[in-house]
Amino acid sequence: MEEMPNNSSLSEFLLMAFADTRELQLLNFALFLGIYLAALLGNGLILSAIACHHRLHTPMYFFLLNLAVLDLGCISTTLPKAMANALWDTRDISYQGCIAQVFFLFFLFGSEYYLLSVMAYDRYVAICKPLHYGSLLGSRACAQMAAAAWGSGFLNAVLHTATTVSLPLCQGNAVDQFFCEIPHILKLSCSNTYLREVGVLVFSVSLCFGCFVFIVLSYVQIFRAVLRMPSEQGRHKAFSTCLPHLAVVSLFVSTAIFAYLKPPSISSPSLDLVFALLYSVVPPALNPLIYSMRNQELKNAVRKLFPYILLKHP
């Protein structure tokens, strides 16, 4: 497609295809469908288990419920369009659809990262200040912290989306990714006009780095407190509640770092595709498994769901 003077004439973008042959496209569709259904099932079971069992109406599970909702939103922003394109052998996405992907990706992933910071604080208070847990993490405080995480993600998304929409695009309409991602849209912008968005990205990265430092410091205090515990059973219980959160944070941060901070020398369209798949699809699909693996209370609640479902739908 010939170069365009600005984005006012853009009606669609062309996303990167996973495969050239029809057989591989259908294989990709089947693989994505399996991952998407697994994510829907896993996160749906966690939502239902927490909602239906009063024993799980605690701050830790309230934040986990929010995380499951965000994970469902994250994977639903990218995979359905990728599946549709693979199934119908097309690459196009409308201009409005592309901007919507940019907004929801920043909103949901940003909110998830801020929520993981709040969850680190929850584990810190539970282990390092157990006597103050009820007062520091009451229902009102939990609702306010969750709302702050969602609100911060929303404001961050509005800022990035508004800046992206204002960029004049004059390098065609082919996005080298399977979804609309700001770094790849910036490649389509006219020279020097992308510096505004770069400034906004630097601000967001600084904010994320601050959250990362907070999470690390929280876990330094947590591990110091756990190692001082005289009871082996107490240490095991503390670790069993912290390790899933630590695994989710590590998965989320490591895949994002690989995607955005890898050396330019190893960058290629196919490698970018793999890394994007890792950070946008793998964490939402694996988080339910990670959280339920070592959590007997959650596993018991999920098991109790099945007789309840069978009774409701004979």
Side-chain angles (χ1 to χ4, degrees):
M1 181 169 285
E2 63 182 20
E3 290 190 0
M4 300 178 186
N6 55 54
N7 50 338
S8 61
S9 58
L10 270 178
S11 61
E12 65 178 23
F13 289 94
L14 296 178
L15 299 176
M16 191 174 180
F18 275 93
D20 297 326
T21 65
R22 190 66 188 133
E23 292 77 10
L24 285 176
Q25 285 177 340
L26 293 174
L27 184 63
N28 284 330
F29 168 77
L31 179 63
F32 289 159
L33 181 62
I35 294 172
Y36 188 56
L37 291 176
L40 289 180
L41 178 64
N43 287 292
L45 284 174
I46 284 182
L47 284 172
S48 303
I50 295 172
C52 295
H53 292 83
H54 293 287
R55 286 188 56 146
L56 301 185
H57 292 181
T58 64
M60 183 178 82
Y61 291 109
F62 170 73
F63 295 132
L64 182 55
L65 183 143
N66 278 266
L67 183 69
V69 173
L70 287 168
D71 279 337
L72 285 173
C74 288
I75 201 165
S76 296
T77 301
T78 56
L79 267 197
K81 182 58 181 174
M83 287 190 294
N85 282 1
L87 182 62
W88 302 116
D89 189 19
T90 182
R91 292 173 54 199
D92 64 285
I93 182 172
S94 68
Y95 180 83
Q96 293 79 8
C98 186
I99 296 304
Q101 275 196 340
V102 167
F103 173 79
F104 282 109
L105 277 173
F106 263 94
F107 172 39
L108 296 165
F109 277 106
S111 299
E112 180 161 336
Y113 189 61
Y114 300 138
L115 184 70
L116 289 171
S117 304
V118 171
M119 293 170 81
Y121 175 71
D122 167 68
R123 292 300 83 209
Y124 165 75
V125 175
I127 291 169
C128 300
K129 299 179 181 295
L131 297 178
H132 301 284
Y133 189 74
S135 57
L136 291 174
L137 284 158
S139 57
R140 185 174 180 181
C142 289
Q144 288 173 341
M145 285 188 279
W150 285 80
S152 300
F154 179 80
L155 292 175
N156 198 26
V158 168
L159 186 63
H160 280 285
T161 307
T163 309
T164 304
V165 168
S166 69
L167 292 175
L169 306 177
C170 53
Q171 304 293 327
N173 68 340
V175 178
D176 291 333
Q177 193 51 273
F178 77 98
F179 59 89
C180 287
E181 194 179 32
I182 284 182
H184 292 281
I185 295 176
L186 290 181
K187 292 177 183 178
L188 306 179
S189 66
C190 305
S191 58
N192 299 325
T193 58
Y194 65 89
L195 292 177
R196 287 172 294 177
E197 174 59 23
V198 170
V200 176
L201 281 171
V202 168
F203 170 74
S204 294
V205 169
S206 303
L207 197 60
C208 289
F209 181 73
C211 291
F212 179 72
V213 170
F214 175 79
I215 292 171
V216 170
L217 292 177
S218 297
Y219 270 98
V220 168
Q221 296 298 319
I222 287 169
F223 286 134
R224 286 176 61 187
V226 170
L227 293 174
R228 287 199 300 263
M229 288 180 179
S231 163
E232 186 177 340
Q233 186 180 1
R235 287 197 298 272
H236 180 268
K237 186 178 179 181
F239 276 128
S240 69
T241 61
C242 291
L243 289 180
H245 175 259
L246 196 56
V248 167
V249 171
S250 302
L251 181 66
F252 189 86
V253 172
S254 61
T255 51
I257 286 174
F258 275 119
Y260 288 106
L261 300 180
K262 62 184 179 299
S265 57
I266 66 166
S267 184
S268 69
S270 57
L271 200 60
D272 289 346
L273 206 64
V274 171
F275 283 129
L277 196 64
L278 282 176
Y279 88 82
S280 65
V281 173
V282 174
L286 285 186
N287 284 354
L289 183 64
I290 293 170
Y291 263 101
S292 59
M293 197 179 295
R294 294 177 61 90
N295 192 319
Q296 195 59 47
E297 200 172 27
L298 187 58
K299 282 195 281 191
N300 290 339
V302 169
R303 285 194 198 102
K304 289 176 184 176
L305 274 179
F306 290 102
Y308 177 78
I309 292 169
L310 291 172
L311 284 172
K312 291 282 284 186
H313 303 281

